[in-house]
Amino acid sequence: MDLTADNQKSASAVKGNGQLPSAENGGAEELGVLGEVHNIVIPPIPCSFPWRNHPDYKALTEMSDAWVLAHFTNLPGADGRPSSFAAEHMIKSAFHMQATLPFADGISERMPPIIKMMDWYFMIDNILDDPSEMGADPERADKVVDSVLTVFRDTYVHPCASPSPLVRILTDTAAEWWAEMCVGMPPKQKARLSKAFCDYLEANRMQVPYRNSRQLPDLETYLQVREDSIGWWPCAVLIEHCQGFELDDEALSHPLMVELQKNTVQHIFMTNDITSFKKEYMQGDFCNIVSILYFRKLYDPKRDSQSPAPTLQGAVLEAIEMIRERDENAVKLMEQIRNCPKLISKPGVEQYLEGLGLWISGTIYWHLASGRYGICATTNLHETPPDMLVAHHLNIDVNKEAASTLPSGVMMSAAC
């Protein structure tokens, strides 16, 4: 989707110059942003779907750890610092569980490339999200995206010829799991999967200028871009592939199914945004639903200066209610689909509905259990589930230096 015109329209409606007092002038302390970030509490995330782990999770965990150690052990970080996407960090974060939980019903033989893909996903996500890596450098990000796109457009030549070791690793490892994944895949399904990966990379490319300019998009634009940049749409196709079925065009284009997918992906990325907010704040990254809900109120020219100032915790609660709405919508839409004989009788539709529910519950499980976001709500990732019905703290030390990189403005939608 071309958002250029919408972005230009939104940019013209930015509130004044949108400037926030700098940390050096005490502005950040006056707003209490640092204290708020430190004390944020994550309420229970609404979820109406049970979770399951893949029956072969132990073997898949061993395979994932071995693959990560073989490919990413010596990957350097920015400015010589230890890399957040080095093998040790990736194993500790248990990225493979973001596959074993959502794809709990996957055919065992089809799971290894999906596990590799998920490990790779989080590595490239770190690189394109972190402003200290490439998340605020459009030129460097373009080189990564352009190189990896060759894999999904079938123009890749082995080995990758980039002079950058990082780009070579990202491209060559993607080519490995992509080739394995596509074995025996129906042509139309492969075409959908290829397009979904390309859309994911282009959406992440689109987010880089926001970080670079320190201008946040308006909420409507953000929701549109984030649906692709979260990287879920390829996984939606893999719900089919991992279980050995293919939905037909009529099922995929049915209005109920389209709306259900939209609510599912928004539930997933908002869960990620809430739980990753503190980590991203530490990196100076504010392309996040919590930041946008907070700063759009802070910068709102119509805000009553006599009213209580907006709070980050309030933004978290607002995002939780948005998730609740998507969760309730998903339940209703699944019921409607199951009550539609023409749709539910199609091969794979019931399995697909189960897969969407597993994606919602599995995403929450992993975000609460993994060490990636500082929640660590269980001491045994696979066997002791996190308590999804209690509030959780984000146990990450606040990076005080990040206060000096607060957003300079928020683009207001035409409706504001």
Side-chain angles (χ1 to χ4, degrees):
M1 179 179 295
D2 184 1
L3 297 177
T4 305
D6 290 339
N7 289 346
Q8 290 173 345
K9 183 189 299 181
S10 299
S12 66
V14 175
K15 179 258 182 183
N17 62 6
Q19 293 298 316
L20 188 69
S22 68
E24 291 82 358
N25 294 329
E29 285 79 7
E30 291 171 9
L31 290 169
V33 174
L34 287 174
E36 285 193 66
V37 170
H38 185 69
N39 293 307
I40 278 179
V41 174
I42 306 298
I45 299 174
C47 178
S48 299
F49 306 96
W51 65 271
R52 292 198 304 278
N53 205 352
H54 196 282
D56 296 333
Y57 73 85
K58 290 183 179 179
L60 292 171
T61 299
E62 293 176 1
M63 185 235 48
S64 173
D65 292 352
W67 190 73
V68 165
L69 286 168
H71 288 80
F72 308 125
T73 302
N74 298 315
L75 201 61
D79 304 320
R81 62 178 168 78
S83 172
S84 63
F85 39 87
E88 182 180 351
H89 169 75
M90 295 174 73
I91 291 172
K92 180 181 178 181
S93 296
F95 295 144
H96 67 282
M97 286 190 71
Q98 188 63 81
T100 63
L101 290 159
F103 298 116
D105 296 328
I107 299 168
S108 295
E109 293 75 16
R110 295 192 174 183
M111 289 300 294
I114 294 176
I115 296 289
K116 294 178 184 179
M117 177 207 73
M118 198 60 69
D119 288 330
W120 176 90
Y121 242 151
F122 282 99
M123 183 176 67
I124 194 169
D125 180 72
N126 274 343
I127 293 166
L128 294 177
D129 272 3
D130 189 344
S132 69
E133 295 293 345
M134 299 182 185
D137 187 336
E139 184 177 350
R140 295 178 68 203
D142 279 344
K143 291 179 180 178
V144 173
V145 171
D146 289 339
S147 181
V148 175
L149 280 172
T150 65
V151 173
F152 307 119
R153 291 174 175 167
D154 289 334
T155 58
Y156 165 78
V157 176
H158 179 81
C160 173
S162 171
S164 165
L166 186 58
V167 173
R168 290 200 302 271
I169 292 172
L170 282 168
T171 306
D172 290 340
T173 52
E176 176 185 327
W177 58 255
W178 176 250
E180 294 174 3
M181 186 178 288
C182 292
V183 173
M185 186 178 290
K188 290 178 68 174
Q189 194 174 71
K190 179 183 176 182
R192 285 193 287 128
L193 186 59
S194 173
K195 181 181 183 302
F197 276 119
C198 292
D199 289 347
Y200 157 73
L201 290 166
E202 293 294 357
N204 274 277
R205 192 204 303 264
M206 187 179 294
Q207 287 188 169
V208 172
Y210 290 130
R211 297 189 184 95
N212 191 44
S213 67
R214 314 236 50 90
Q215 289 284 345
L216 297 179
D218 65 83
L219 181 60
E220 292 76 14
T221 299
Y222 177 75
L223 294 178
Q224 291 175 347
V225 174
R226 190 71 170 114
E227 284 187 19
D228 284 326
S229 72
I230 187 64
W232 179 76
W233 289 105
C235 299
V237 180
L238 291 174
I239 293 174
E240 304 168 51
H241 172 68
C242 79
Q243 297 185 65
F245 67 88
E246 182 180 16
L247 295 178
D248 64 25
D249 293 342
E250 187 178 11
L252 288 167
S253 62
H254 195 286
L256 290 176
M257 189 68 81
V258 171
E259 189 64 21
L260 175 58
Q261 290 175 322
K262 185 178 184 69
N263 278 272
T264 300
V265 68
Q266 291 194 358
H267 191 298
I268 289 167
F269 79 63
M270 289 182 194
T271 294
N272 175 263
D273 278 12
I274 289 174
T275 52
S276 67
F277 168 73
K278 191 172 182 180
K279 173 181 177 292
E280 292 175 0
Y281 171 86
M282 291 171 60
Q283 299 171 343
D285 178 7
F286 298 93
C287 271
N288 181 291
I289 191 69
V290 177
S291 292
I292 289 173
L293 292 173
Y294 171 72
F295 285 107
R296 76 168 185 166
K297 289 185 176 179
L298 188 69
Y299 293 148
D300 187 351
K302 299 177 182 178
R303 183 168 71 88
D304 183 356
S305 60
Q306 303 302 314
S307 299
T311 65
L312 288 172
Q313 187 65 52
V316 169
L317 295 176
E318 187 176 351
I320 286 287
E321 290 309 307
M322 294 172 72
I323 292 176
R324 189 183 315 283
E325 180 182 354
R326 273 68 177 177
D327 184 67
E328 293 172 353
N329 287 345
V331 171
K332 293 175 184 176
L333 287 162
M334 286 188 187
E335 182 179 0
Q336 289 178 277
I337 290 172
R338 290 185 169 111
N339 289 330
C340 176
K342 186 177 180 181
L343 187 53
I344 195 61
S345 63
K346 288 182 175 295
V349 169
E350 180 59 43
Q351 293 165 277
Y352 191 74
L353 299 185
E354 290 286 333
L356 295 178
L358 286 171
W359 254 99
I360 289 174
S361 60
T363 296
I364 296 173
Y365 184 120
W366 178 77
H367 280 78
L368 296 181
S370 170
R372 179 171 172 82
Y373 304 113
I375 300 176
C376 305
T378 176
T379 55
N380 188 317
L381 287 172
H382 289 286
E383 298 179 9
T384 306
D387 191 340
M388 298 186 185
L389 301 179
V390 300
H392 295 280
H393 287 270
L394 300 174
N395 301 311
I396 300 177
D397 291 335
V398 172
N399 176 9
K400 296 182 180 180
E401 294 179 0
S404 62
T405 60
L406 290 172
S408 62
V410 181
M411 296 178 182
M412 299 296 179
S413 66
C416 293

